[in-house]
């Protein structure tokens, strides 16, 4: 059997799609993107208007496979239409499908997509950039079938106000390291007239809700954080706002569904990944020991890649280690740190 490709063929997209207006077409495009974005980066999406179908190209084959497997158990629907999904089983058929995607998109690393404009012809495509929103059903599946208690999934406010920060020890990058656990960060602004306050704009309302829910009351630098939704819909670009929208350190550019599954309140245990292959437990301990009392640690290998667990005496120490050492460089590798929900090593 030939191996699958990253192109997914979606049928039964809409009734008489060739006759609908451009606004409704864009709504259909957004609905499709919401279905597939939690499984990985979407590099191209083309609406086949004459056939009531669409082609969705994921960045890699595993993302396409995960989407097909998930929707094999849950029938997806958009605009009251039930869809039929096909993953191409041969390279030749995938190449033929991609022939309609001739012009490369201008999309970035996962929060944007390249969509064929309505009325464009093959070989003369034009593209628009649109912001992706998560799909609640797929995200609920990532959490084991339902959203965590206290999470509604209906919030549409993207900007968060964080207060009671320690102004002597906090900066934008440290806030990014913490809040990026719950979603992609657009920009962060420390308030000059209130040095213990900051605004953080998340990628969408659901990610903002996760951050507010899981970080409210967390301890950082001997301060208990107050985390709430801001009255401001977004943060205005400017010299006093740090941009992160194109940062390759944003955690949800790939494997979004997997990252949602790991969202939790701060714990005593941190998980370190993207480590150098020759890393030792002593080097890991040396990297983070300044941030608290280490109870236990372990270096292990999974899928041929070195990873580590470090257990601190309390959640505040683990949070400080994550905030200060995530994205630091060790022997040429950029270290990724997240909270682990394991109780013990």
């Amino acid at each position: 059997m030939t191996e699958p490709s990253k192109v997914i063929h979606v049928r039964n997209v809409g009734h008489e799609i060739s006759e609908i207006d451009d606004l409704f077409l864009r709504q259909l495009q957004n609905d499709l993107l919401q279905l597939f974005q939690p499984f990985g980066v979407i590099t191209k999406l083309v609406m086949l208007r004459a056939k009531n179908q669409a082609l969705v190209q994921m960045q890699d084959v595993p993302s396409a496979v995960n989407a097909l497997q998930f929707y094999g158990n849950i029938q997806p629907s958009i605009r009251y239409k039930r869809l039929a999904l096909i993953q191409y089983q041969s390279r030749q058929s995938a190449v033929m499908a991609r022939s309609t995607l001739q012009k490369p998109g201008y999309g970035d690393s996962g929060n944007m997509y390249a969509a064929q404009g309505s009325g464009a012809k093959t070989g003369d495509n034009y593209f628009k950039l649109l912001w992706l929103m998560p799909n609640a059903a797929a995200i609920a599946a990532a959490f084991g079938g339902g959203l965590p208690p206290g999470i509604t999934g209906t919030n549409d406010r993207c900007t968060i106000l964080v207060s009671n920060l320690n102004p002597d020890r906090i900066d934008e990058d440290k806030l990014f390291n913490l809040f990026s656990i719950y979603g992609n960060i657009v920009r962060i602004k420390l308030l000059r007239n209130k040095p213990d306050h900051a605004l953080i704009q998340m990628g969408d309302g659901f990610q903002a809700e996760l951050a507010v829910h899981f970080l409210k009351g967390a301890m950082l630098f001997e301060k208990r954080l107050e985390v709430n939704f801001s009255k401001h819909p977004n943060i205005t670009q400017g010299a006093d706002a740090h941009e992160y929208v194109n940062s390759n350190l944003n955690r949800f550019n790939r494997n979004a569904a997997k990252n949602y599954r790991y969202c939790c309140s701060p714990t005593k245990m941190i998980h370190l990944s993207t480590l150098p292959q020759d890393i030792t437990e002593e080097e890991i301990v040396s990297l983070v020991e300044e941030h608290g009392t280490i109870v236990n640690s372990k270096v292990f290998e999974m899928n041929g890649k070195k990873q580590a667990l470090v257990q601190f005496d309390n959640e505040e120490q683990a949070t400080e280690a994550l905030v200060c050492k995530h994205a630091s460089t060790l022997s040429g590798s950029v270290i990724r740190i997240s909270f682990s929900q394991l109780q013990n090593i």
Side-chain angles (χ1 to χ4, degrees):
M1 181 178 179
T2 54
E3 59 185 85
S5 83
K6 55 190 176 183
V7 179
I8 300 173
H9 183 191
V10 187
R11 297 187 295 183
N12 199 30
V13 171
H15 179 63
E16 296 179 349
I17 190 173
S18 60
E19 299 179 7
I20 62 178
D21 60 29
D22 289 345
L23 176 61
F24 193 74
L25 178 64
R26 288 195 294 272
Q27 292 173 336
L28 288 174
Q29 291 172 334
N30 285 334
D31 285 351
L32 284 171
L33 291 163
Q34 289 174 17
L35 287 176
F36 293 104
Q37 188 267 346
F39 300 95
V41 177
I42 299 172
T43 56
K44 295 185 179 72
L45 183 147
V46 170
M47 306 298 294
L48 307 177
R49 301 181 66 170
K51 298 181 179 180
N52 301 339
Q53 300 174 12
L55 296 175
V56 180
Q57 180 172 302
M58 308 298 290
Q59 181 167 297
D60 50 45
V61 172
S63 298
V65 170
N66 289 339
L68 266 292
Q69 288 176 344
F70 177 78
Y71 289 124
N73 299 318
I74 299 177
Q75 180 71 48
S77 61
I78 58 171
R79 304 289 153 180
Y80 314 107
K81 298 291 288 184
R82 296 173 70 83
L83 303 176
L85 275 62
I86 300 173
Q87 184 175 22
Y88 290 102
Q89 297 298 314
S90 70
R91 293 181 182 276
Q92 181 178 4
S93 59
V95 169
M96 292 177 64
R98 286 199 300 268
S99 68
T100 64
L101 311 175
Q102 291 179 357
K103 187 172 181 179
Y106 306 121
D108 73 346
S109 54
N111 281 326
M112 309 289 281
Y113 78 100
Q116 182 179 339
S118 58
K121 298 180 180 180
T122 301
D124 187 28
N125 298 338
Y126 68 96
F127 294 83
K128 315 175 184 183
L129 296 179
L130 296 175
W131 191 257
L132 292 180
M133 294 291 287
N135 173 256
I139 293 169
F143 281 111
L147 296 176
I151 299 292
T152 68
T154 60
N155 173 65
D156 60 358
R157 291 174 290 179
C158 301
T159 305
I160 297 168
L161 176 65
V162 187
S163 58
N164 202 35
L165 294 164
N166 186 330
D168 295 326
R169 302 189 64 186
I170 201 67
D171 59 38
E172 292 88 349
D173 287 344
K174 290 176 181 176
L175 286 171
F176 172 89
N177 290 346
L178 180 59
F179 280 80
S180 64
I181 294 174
Y182 308 100
N184 286 337
I185 307 298
V186 178
R187 59 184 62 94
I188 297 176
K189 178 180 181 180
L190 293 175
L191 304 187
R192 296 184 182 278
N193 59 336
K194 295 180 179 180
D196 65 336
H197 285 57
L199 291 173
I200 301 173
Q201 184 177 339
M202 307 289 292
D204 57 60
F206 180 77
Q207 295 176 352
E209 185 178 16
L210 289 175
V212 169
H213 177 78
F214 286 121
L215 289 179
K216 186 182 291 289
M219 292 293 297
L220 177 62
F221 300 135
E222 302 178 343
K223 296 283 189 177
R224 188 171 298 279
L225 302 183
E226 296 180 14
V227 186
N228 297 286
F229 296 109
S230 171
K231 64 181 180 180
H232 301 287
N234 51 57
I235 301 173
T236 304
Q237 290 179 294
D240 55 349
H242 283 226
E243 297 290 326
Y244 294 96
V245 66
N246 293 318
S247 173
N248 57 11
L249 295 175
N250 269 318
R251 301 172 189 251
F252 289 73
N253 289 336
R254 299 189 64 182
N255 299 322
K258 178 181 178 181
N259 282 293
Y260 282 123
R261 187 164 65 246
Y262 295 142
C263 290
C264 64
S265 296
T267 67
K268 300 177 184 180
M269 188 98 66
I270 58 172
H271 174 260
L272 298 90
S273 58
T274 62
L275 297 171
Q277 282 300 107
D278 58 351
I279 194 76
T280 65
E281 188 171 339
E282 291 73 21
E283 289 175 302
I284 291 295
V285 170
S286 177
L287 177 70
V288 298
E289 64 183 349
E290 66 179 291
H291 302 293
T293 302
I294 295 177
V295 176
N296 205 352
S297 61
K298 178 183 179 181
V299 173
F300 59 98
E301 191 168 304
M302 182 174 291
N303 298 324
K305 298 180 179 180
K306 283 291 183 70
Q307 301 182 34
L309 291 169
V310 177
Q311 183 178 351
F312 285 89
D313 188 55
N314 58 54
E315 291 84 356
E316 183 179 3
Q317 295 173 0
T319 303
E320 180 179 321
L322 183 150
V323 163
C324 295
K325 293 300 166 60
H326 174 70
S328 59
T329 301
L330 188 63
S331 299
S333 297
V334 179
I335 308 303
R336 174 177 172 144
I337 304 179
S338 58
F339 292 115
S340 171
Q341 299 179 50
L342 294 175
Q343 298 300 312
N344 294 290
I345 299 177

